[in-house]
Amino acid sequence: MPQVHAYAAQSATSPLASFTIDRRDPGPGDVALDILHCGVCHSDLHTARNEWQNTLYPSVPGHEIVGRVTAVGAQVTRFKVGDLVGVGCMVDSCQHCAPCAEGLEQYCDNGFTATYNGPVFGGGPNTFGGYSTHIVVRESFVLRISHPADQLAAVAPLLCAGITTYSPLRQWDVGPGHRVGIVGLGGLGHMGVKIAAAMGAYVVLFTTSAGKREDALRLGAKEVVVSKNTDEMAAQANQLDFILNTVAAPHDLDPFIASLKVDGTMTLVGAPATPHPSPGVFGLIFRRRRLAGSLIGGIAETQEMLDFCAQHAIVSDIEVIGMDHIETAYARMVKGDVKYRFVVDMATMG
Ligand code: NAP
Ligand code: ZN
């Protein structure tokens, strides 16, 4: 069993630090890869700090993985040594329940195996993610990358931030003629703006940071609303067909619900550690509005998203960091100071 260099949190209060993990030898259906880059998702921070109170320590976060195939098992047909590939938030699922049969592995009735912090089917208690130099993954959970090779680092965030925004935009049929709100301009939000705009929607970006206005317009938003400004919020009343809310902290949902048209939906993908204040019922019942949720996306849909982004020349806006800067990156993420995704260069692991 090869030993692999990683970065791990040992407790909710200890900073991430160098650590050694065991990876399995590739089995007949497995793909082994050298990890070249790994994106830094706010979920990594929620997990490392045990904010969701479910963290298994030691914790090696990272589920926006891109790398190069180093070995394939005898039964692997879709990948060969040298291919550039991606691994997202899941590395396995039961493959026989109704959601898995529909390509909705993220809603597996038996619980998918998360890339990190997940119990392993028939195996150990914990999985270790992409803050490491090497990983072994079942072929069916490995994604093809068709972007130019020099964009690889900026493709990494598509594996979570990309699919988490693409999937609900597709599920709610966003396209030309739709006015779509994206709430929060962070890692997920900036991908949501790019993807919704590429789908042909008229995008309205809601932010708490007035300084992000120009960036939002450059990324594809047609309007920017500073959500702390009640006049700007009031001007959006009853305007939007769909809202994707990516905010990582609890906040009042009612002003956003008020922006929806009749039958409009706001889908929550942001996963704060503590609940949002409960929305008022009148905002929902008076215009038959809906509040929904969405979790990442299935494997086939993740491939569809990667291909869509390659066709539309969409990548993430990134700031590449060394692994030893991860705590600084987390601190900036807490302040909303991310433009718009940190990506770790694994060569810095030594
Ligand atoms: P991020 O890069 O930190 O962006 C979050 C954005 O939310 C911030 O940039 C900020 O945008 C806004 N925000 C407003 N108030 C905030 C506050 N008090 N604290 C933090 N952010 C605040 O995070 P992310 O990686 O996009 O992830 C966003 C959330 O989605 C996290 O909770 C994450 O765990 C969750 N997530 C869910 C899924 C899923 O499948 N549902 C998948 C991945 C991540 P402005 O400055 O524009 O206001
Ligand atoms: Zn994520």
Side-chain angles (χ1 to χ4, degrees), residues 268-290:
L268 305 177
V269 288
T274 53
H276 298 297
S278 183
V281 294
F282 293 103
L284 294 168
I285 64 183
F286 263 79
R287 283 186 167 74
R288 201 165 56 187
R289 296 166 174 136
R290 299 158 200 190

Side-chain angles (χ1 to χ4, degrees), residues 40-44 63-64 89 116 159-161 164 188 296 341:
V40 179
C41 179
H42 208 116
S43 301
D44 301 355
H63 57 203
E64 295 183 337
C89 305
Y116 61 81
L159 275 307
C160 174
T164 302
L188 266 58
I296 49 177
R341 196 59 137 187

Side-chain angles (χ1 to χ4, degrees), residues 194-346:
K194 290 186 185 208
I195 293 171
M199 288 173 170
Y202 182 99
V203 177
V204 180
L205 185 275
F206 295 83
T207 180
T208 58
S209 311
K212 294 181 180 174
R213 193 183 290 270
E214 295 308 315
D215 279 349
L217 296 171
R218 172 179 59 78
L219 294 167
K222 291 283 192 289
E223 292 180 42
V224 179
V225 176
V226 176
S227 52
K228 293 170 182 165
N229 182 316
T230 46
D231 291 340
E232 286 187 38
M233 286 299 284
Q236 295 295 327
N238 312 320
Q239 296 295 307
L240 301 171
D241 297 283
F242 180 72
I243 299 176
L244 188 63
N245 188 325
T246 74
V247 175
H251 60 281
D252 183 3
L253 302 178
D254 286 340
F256 298 103
I257 291 171
S259 302
L260 292 168
K261 293 178 184 171
V262 173
D263 284 334
T265 298
M266 177 158 76
T267 295
L268 305 177
V269 288
T274 53
H276 298 297
S278 183
V281 294
F282 293 103
L284 294 168
I285 64 183
F286 263 79
R287 283 186 167 74
R288 201 165 56 187
R289 296 166 174 136
R290 299 158 200 190
L291 190 58
S294 182
L295 179 69
I296 49 177
I299 294 298
E301 193 173 51
T302 304
Q303 189 64 61
E304 177 187 305
M305 175 278 307
L306 284 168
D307 296 345
F308 175 92
C309 288
Q311 279 158 18
H312 290 83
I314 293 173
V315 291
S316 176
D317 283 30
I318 61 167
E319 191 175 328
V320 177
I321 58 167
M323 192 74 251
D324 56 341
H325 280 71
I326 190 68
E327 288 292 332
T328 311
Y330 282 0
R332 282 182 52 194
M333 200 176 242
V334 169
K335 292 189 288 183
D337 175 24
V338 184
K339 290 186 174 173
Y340 281 89
R341 196 59 137 187
F342 292 110
V343 172
V344 179
D345 178 355
M346 280 311 150

